[in-house]
Amino acid sequence: MPTLTKSLLATAIPTVTLQQAGITVTIAARGCTLLSIRCPDKFGSSQNIIAGLPDPAAYEADDYYLGCVVGRYANRIGEGRFVLEGKTYQLPINNAPHHLHGGEEGLHTKIWAVKEQVETADRSLVVFEYLSPDGEGGYPGNLQLRVSYELSNNRLRITYEASTDKATPLNLTNHSYFNLSGFAEPTIHRHLLRIHANRYTEKGPSNLPTGKLLPVQGTPLDFSSLHPVGDHIDALVEDRGYDHNYVLENAGELQLAAELLEPGSGRTLKVYTDRPGIQLYTANWWDGTVTGEQGVLYGKHAALALETQAWPDSVNQPAFPGTILRPGETFRSVTDFEFGVCPDTH
Ligand code: BGC
């Protein structure tokens, strides 16, 4: 059985453990947060390959958005403002001058209810639900949310579902940061990355899309073939690394979006999604002041996030794919993280 244990800490946040085929995933009900993913390297030794905190209570103070589900709108909404059905909404500004990741009181801070747990020989599942009331975080509509994590063989599937009683913007992601060496490597510079995208959404100086889609070819953003993340990272001076939304063609179909390989451990990660975008963020502002679950300090570029998403600020970009969920509709989206090992790396 997946185990549901009430934490003995003052916060009493339920945590759930999923286990299959040598992979163990722990998840906290606060923010549906992935606390750890332990999987074997090419020698059979297991480590936690995502950034996390040693004490679940410490997530209250986390501002890196470690492992959590982000919403109602992942990434930025320009100046926190949008117009919907003739009404102007002003959301809280938490990343001046913009609204980021649903604001300080976003879905990542909410205690979700554990609705269902299933365990069979080949699948381990937990379903979380949360009702975000009308006006919460400045967003319209009572939004009923459902997030499930399902581990089967070497794949962790995240399914997002939502319905609303008023039109609302919606962009959900999971904000896990990976270091496939289990943080034995202090940075992800030697990780090999491929992103199945030829274009990205151009950004202006305050990190907001300009509306233009540009080719990655010939730029430091080009990961169309597998190569080390560190090769051109220093060219991205202003952002201190990667913080870009890649354009995925054929949105709506579950497709391979990104592949990551860490040569020392041989561990691999494949990310599949049906979303139109994926944000590569290389922990550019981590400053070595947070001690992670692995007992090491998390410094600049210690991990990277591959956030499957709608494009940033879509609510203010009429040419971008729509992100408004309306009454009567059901939003459903799937992201898979597939873990593996490649024996021939060094
Ligand atoms: C965003 C960054 C932001 C970071 C905060 C990422 O998803 O793309 O711009 O600084 O989250 O942890």
Side-chain angles (χ1 to χ4, degrees):
M1 277 293 286
T3 48
L4 171 61
T5 45
K6 282 262 177 204
S7 160
L8 293 175
L9 297 157
T11 47
I13 296 165
T15 59
V16 174
T17 301
L18 309 180
Q19 243 170 336
Q20 286 287 330
I23 299 175
T24 307
V25 176
T26 59
I27 309 157
R30 182 182 184 274
C32 292
T33 300
L34 288 175
L35 300 173
S36 65
I37 300 176
R38 276 173 215 287
C39 55
D41 65 8
K42 63 182 175 183
F43 308 108
S45 161
S46 270
Q47 273 93 33
N48 175 16
I49 58 160
I50 59 167
L53 301 175
D55 172 2
Y59 282 80
E60 291 285 342
D62 164 48
D63 55 9
Y64 294 163
Y65 296 86
L66 297 173
C68 54
V69 165
V70 169
R72 291 189 192 184
Y73 200 97
N75 212 291
R76 289 170 181 78
I77 292 182
E79 297 179 5
R81 227 177 356 259
F82 63 92
V83 180
L84 186 54
E85 297 180 336
K87 193 172 164 192
T88 301
Y89 291 87
Q90 178 64 59
L91 304 171
I93 305 303
N94 60 327
N95 186 253
H98 306 308
H99 175 84
L100 175 73
H101 291 336
E104 275 171 22
E105 302 296 317
L107 298 177
H108 65 292
T109 66
K110 307 303 175 194
I111 311 291
W112 295 55
V114 179
K115 273 292 167 190
E116 196 186 333
Q117 291 184 263
V118 177
E119 176 82 6
T120 65
D122 56 9
R123 97 190 244 264
S124 192
L125 166 85
V126 59
V127 179
F128 293 97
E129 283 187 5
Y130 177 67
L131 174 65
S132 173
D134 189 11
E136 185 176 65
Y139 290 89
N142 291 297
L143 180 71
Q144 181 62 58
L145 291 147
R146 194 175 158 93
V147 169
S148 73
Y149 290 98
E150 178 178 7
L151 187 62
S152 76
N153 295 315
N154 56 341
R155 245 184 209 231
L156 179 64
R157 167 159 295 186
I158 311 175
T159 306
Y160 304 92
E161 283 167 295
S163 56
T164 184
D165 60 4
K166 279 187 197 161
T168 182
L170 187 69
N171 183 21
L172 303 172
T173 193
N174 177 280
H175 209 277
S176 290
Y177 293 86
F178 296 90
N179 178 322
L180 299 184
S181 75
F183 291 81
E185 289 273 325
T187 73
I188 41 66
H189 291 178
R190 280 160 34 90
H191 282 53
L192 309 178
L193 176 64
R194 179 169 182 203
I195 299 180
H196 292 258
N198 295 320
R199 298 184 295 169
Y200 70 103
T201 48
E202 185 192 44
K203 300 194 296 184
S206 72
N207 235 328
L208 220 57
T210 61
K212 271 195 204 156
L213 307 184
L214 296 182
V216 294
Q217 202 186 11
T219 78
L221 302 187
D222 190 353
F223 283 101
S224 57
S225 63
L226 197 73
H227 68 268
V229 175
D231 274 359
H232 306 293
I233 201 165
D234 291 339
L236 299 153
V237 177
E238 213 166 301
D239 286 315
R240 297 165 52 103
Y242 292 95
D243 191 6
H244 296 82
N245 174 58
Y246 287 78
V247 171
L248 301 174
E249 312 296 341
N250 308 317
E253 286 169 32
L254 192 65
Q255 57 183 317
L256 182 59
E259 296 170 77
L260 192 62
L261 163 65
E262 196 279 307
S265 63
R267 287 196 186 89
T268 61
L269 168 72
K270 288 183 180 168
V271 181
Y272 298 80
T273 185
D274 54 14
R275 300 276 66 213
I278 189 165
Q279 184 88 10
L280 170 62
Y281 177 59
T282 47
N284 305 333
W285 298 94
W286 289 13
D287 58 4
T289 56
V290 172
T291 303
E293 192 270 348
Q294 296 84 358
V296 297
L297 288 168
Y298 290 156
K300 185 180 169 192
H301 300 165
L304 62 79
L306 290 160
E307 306 156 46
T308 58
Q309 61 179 8
W311 302 349
D313 200 29
S314 294
V315 272
N316 294 308
Q317 292 283 351
F320 283 8
T323 52
I324 305 301
L325 180 68
R326 297 179 193 281
E329 297 173 347
T330 302
F331 172 87
R332 189 174 186 279
S333 162
V334 171
T335 289
D336 283 352
F337 294 136
E338 187 184 83
F339 310 103
V341 281
C342 186
D344 306 325
T345 56
H346 44 264

